[in-house]
């Protein structure tokens, strides 16, 4: 089958769904996705302990109402409200990456058909990340896909790579109550520090907007390492300029404990090096995508808005 744009299709699928044929209706697509999720759980493609998340994803799929027009998915409203996830996962607990290279189906694609995901919306009010309510409003448009069929009777979907001719277009808006978001962030950072052998008895973080893309950061912590204990204060700013370059500035770390102040003084050189470094966020964008909006704001809520055109 030929791609509608006339380009050669990707040689290998990156996702096999389940036994069946290409979906003709939204209900068939929902059923196919559900069977694919169940197959993944049975085949242990998902790490042990993620069955609870799989059950939640089934509930999310039940609320989806896909609309198809031939091979194209014209509409796919998705509402993951109530989904509860955790960011506090040790590297050893992370699920292994999916590997279909040894699958007998991965070299037996018998049919391909180009398609478009014309519009997919994602709206949640909210999902829970370690108990922090995160509201989501997002949309992507005109995403190129491939339907794939295999000799063993499986059907799959493949996301075609974004290009300058076919960039990723859409938007994403996130928001969370500031107090709850900072409490969750403090717990996450404290857990990360304690994994390095430093006990954190208290950690308070504050973030304030100092511009459309600039944040001021302040953190105070009570820490203990062996017999050494004291309070530490960290200050700094982070900014994203109009060229999408991220940089830190005015970074400092201090302590009223003279011994602790001497030890953390060794970190000041690292902070100076961090201030001298920059990160070009354009490198993280798919080819051809252009940022038309990027805003970060902190008031009673912390919010993030990104639009790609």
């Amino acid at each position: 089958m030929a791609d509608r744009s006339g380009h050669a299709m990707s040689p290998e699928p990156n996702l096999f769904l389940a036994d069946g044929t290409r979906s003709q209706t939204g209900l068939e697509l929902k059923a196919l996705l559900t069977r694919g999720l169940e197959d993944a759980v049975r085949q242990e493609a998902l790490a042990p302990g993620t069955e609870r998340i799989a059950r939640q994803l089934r509930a999310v799929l039940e609320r989806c109402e896909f609309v198809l027009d031939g091979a194209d998915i014209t509409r796919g409203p998705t509402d993951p409200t109530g989904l509860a996830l955790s960011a506090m996962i040790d590297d050893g607990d992370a699920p292994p990456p999916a590997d279909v290279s040894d699958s007998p189906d991965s070299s037996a694609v018998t049919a391909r058909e180009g398609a478009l995901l014309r519009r997919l919306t994602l709206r949640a009010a909210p999902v829970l990340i370690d108990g922090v309510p995160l509201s989501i409003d997002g949309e992507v448009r005109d995403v190129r896909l491939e339907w794939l069929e295999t000799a063993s009777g499986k059907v799959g979907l493949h996301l075609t790579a974004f290009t300058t001719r076919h960039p990723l277009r859409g938007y994403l808006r996130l928001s969370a109550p500031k107090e709850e978001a900072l409490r969750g962030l403090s717990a996450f950072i404290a857990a990360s520090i304690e994994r390095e052998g430093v006990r954190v008895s208290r950690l308070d973080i504050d973030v304030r907007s100092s511009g459309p893309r600039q944040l001021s950061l302040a953190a105070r912590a009570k820490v203990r390492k062996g017999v050494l204990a004291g309070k530490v204060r960290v200050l700094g700013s982070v900014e994203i300029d109009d060229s999408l370059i991220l940089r830190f500035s005015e970074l400092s770390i201090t302590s009223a404990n003279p011994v602790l102040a001497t030890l953390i003084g060794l970190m000041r050189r690292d902070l100076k090096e961090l201030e001298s470094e920059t990160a070009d966020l354009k490198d993280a964008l798919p080819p051809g995508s252009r940022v038309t909006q990027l805003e970060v704001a902190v008031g009673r809520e912390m919010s993030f808005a990104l639009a790609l055109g």
Side-chain angles (χ1 to χ4, degrees), residues 68-84:
L68 274 63
D69 179 13
D72 292 348
I73 304 171
T74 62
R75 188 165 62 88
T78 304
D79 178 8
T81 295
L83 188 66

Side-chain angles (χ1 to χ4, degrees), residues 247-260:
R247 56 172 51 86
F248 290 92
S249 62
E250 302 176 337
L251 296 175
S252 66
I253 181 169
T254 57
S255 175
N257 182 314
V259 178
L260 191 57

Side-chain angles (χ1 to χ4, degrees), residues 14-80:
N14 63 358
L15 172 63
F16 282 101
L17 293 179
D19 294 331
T21 58
R22 178 174 71 73
S23 303
Q24 304 293 326
T25 68
L27 288 176
E28 290 181 1
L29 176 57
K30 182 190 297 188
L32 190 66
L33 289 166
T34 301
R35 291 200 305 273
L37 177 62
E38 292 170 349
D39 287 348
V41 173
R42 281 197 298 269
Q43 296 168 11
E44 297 183 350
L46 299 177
T50 59
E51 292 85 356
R52 178 180 59 83
I53 296 177
R55 288 196 298 271
Q56 294 183 72
L57 291 176
R58 290 189 193 98
V60 171
L61 282 172
E62 278 299 314
R63 295 196 295 271
C64 291
E65 296 182 0
F66 299 106
V67 177
L68 274 63
D69 179 13
D72 292 348
I73 304 171
T74 62
R75 188 165 62 88
T78 304
D79 178 8

